[in-house]
Amino acid sequence: MSIITVEQAIAWMKKINEKMQENKDQLTALDQAIGDGDHGINMARGFEAVVEKIEDTDYDSVSDVFKSAAMTLMAKVGGASGPLYGTAFLKMSVTTQGKEVGSSQFQQAIRAASAGIQSRGQADFGEKTLYDVWYQVADFLEEEVVDQWGGIVEVCQATIEDTREMIATKGRASYLKERSIGKVDPGSMSSFYIFESLADVLDWSYS
Ligand code: ADP
Ligand code: MG
């Protein structure tokens, strides 16, 4: 069984930051369509701060890397997504505390993160939010061979497309009611970048 190392957890955060910077304008455009247009700015600012914090700190556990990410996102990102992603990484930190993080611990951590997002956002599956992606990834990791990280990317892409046809019933997009149909949820897209980064980081080390 593969073990996720501290170096990989750090590389994951750095890769997320790269993708948020690269796709900042796209995330902003998605949020302009059905929200207030700050999602790209929120993600770019938040993950840049996460990387700054991580580069300033010495880590001896994966759990502590996730804790830094959680605390930084909660402190630096205003808007709905900051507390939601902060909760996700905090749950991952708590779940992995004092443990070597193999595939099954990691799968449990993602499941806990998904549950944390749900309780924090009071969102259910199918409400056109980033929770849809976490829910589907958690399910995928439970059902599939958990080392097939690449499969996460397809799961996320399919879920993003599913959000297009949904009516938003949570967050700012819910103000648009039926007019939210036809647009992809911005938070689902940023969650895709989080998991695409994970697949990138784990693939290069296991291939
Ligand atoms: P804000 O909506 O405060 O401007 P962001 O633009 O950064 O914050 O994030 C918007 C994203 O947050 C949405 O696209 C959606 O995926 C997610 N979101 C908003 N409200 C909720 C909620 N109650 N539960 C889960 N996710 C939510
Ligand atoms: Mg917004």
Side-chain angles (χ1 to χ4, degrees):
M1 186 176 65
S2 331
I3 299 296
I4 295 172
T5 63
V6 172
E7 289 69 31
Q8 284 172 321
I10 290 172
W12 182 23
M13 296 305 126
K14 289 187 174 172
K15 184 60 98 178
I16 295 172
N17 181 41
E18 273 172 36
K19 289 194 196 273
M20 295 305 179
Q21 304 305 328
E22 278 166 23
N23 296 290
K24 181 176 168 180
D25 293 347
Q26 180 218 27
L27 293 172
T28 289
L30 292 175
D31 199 32
Q32 270 163 352
I34 58 169
D36 58 354
D38 62 353
H39 193 56
I41 296 158
N42 285 343
M43 292 298 96
R45 188 203 298 126
F47 282 97
E48 185 171 69
V50 167
V51 168
E52 276 168 19
K53 165 77 185 163
I54 282 173
E55 283 178 340
D56 257 14
T57 316
D58 288 329
Y59 293 98
D60 49 26
S61 78
V62 167
S63 171
D64 286 344
V65 176
F66 294 157
K67 192 171 175 185
S68 280
M71 296 309 178
T72 307
L73 291 171
M74 285 187 193
K76 299 281 176 180
V77 182
S81 57
L84 290 167
Y85 284 139
T87 300
F89 284 109
L90 194 60
K91 294 287 179 190
M92 291 177 68
S93 173
V94 170
T95 311
T96 55
Q97 206 160 22
K99 289 181 190 148
E100 200 166 57
V101 186
S103 301
S104 84
Q105 287 76 21
F106 195 73
Q107 173 249 307
Q108 284 165 22
I110 298 283
R111 170 61 72 196
S114 170
I117 290 171
Q118 182 182 33
S119 84
R120 180 90 203 203
Q122 295 293 303
D124 285 320
F125 180 65
E127 290 198 279
K128 198 181 180 100
T129 72
L130 56 89
Y131 175 64
D132 288 350
V133 169
W134 287 76
Y135 175 93
Q136 293 285 46
V137 168
D139 257 20
F140 171 78
L141 291 179
E142 248 159 54
E143 283 164 20
E144 301 298 318
V145 180
V146 283
D147 283 341
Q148 287 182 356
W149 303 106
I152 291 177
V153 172
E154 281 88 68
V155 170
C156 291
Q157 281 167 335
T159 310
I160 290 167
E161 269 314 305
D162 289 345
T163 70
R164 189 187 294 281
E165 297 313 317
M166 292 175 189
I167 299 179
T169 42
K170 286 288 183 308
R172 287 178 198 276
S174 66
Y175 306 154
L176 294 179
K177 302 202 170 75
E178 290 76 14
R179 283 182 295 133
S180 65
I181 296 175
K183 301 289 195 304
V184 156
D185 172 56
S188 301
M189 190 61 82
S190 59
S191 289
F192 163 66
Y193 293 129
I194 291 175
F195 289 114
E196 190 186 42
S197 301
L198 179 70
D200 282 0
V201 164
L202 296 182
D203 274 358
W204 55 246
S205 49
Y206 293 140
S207 56

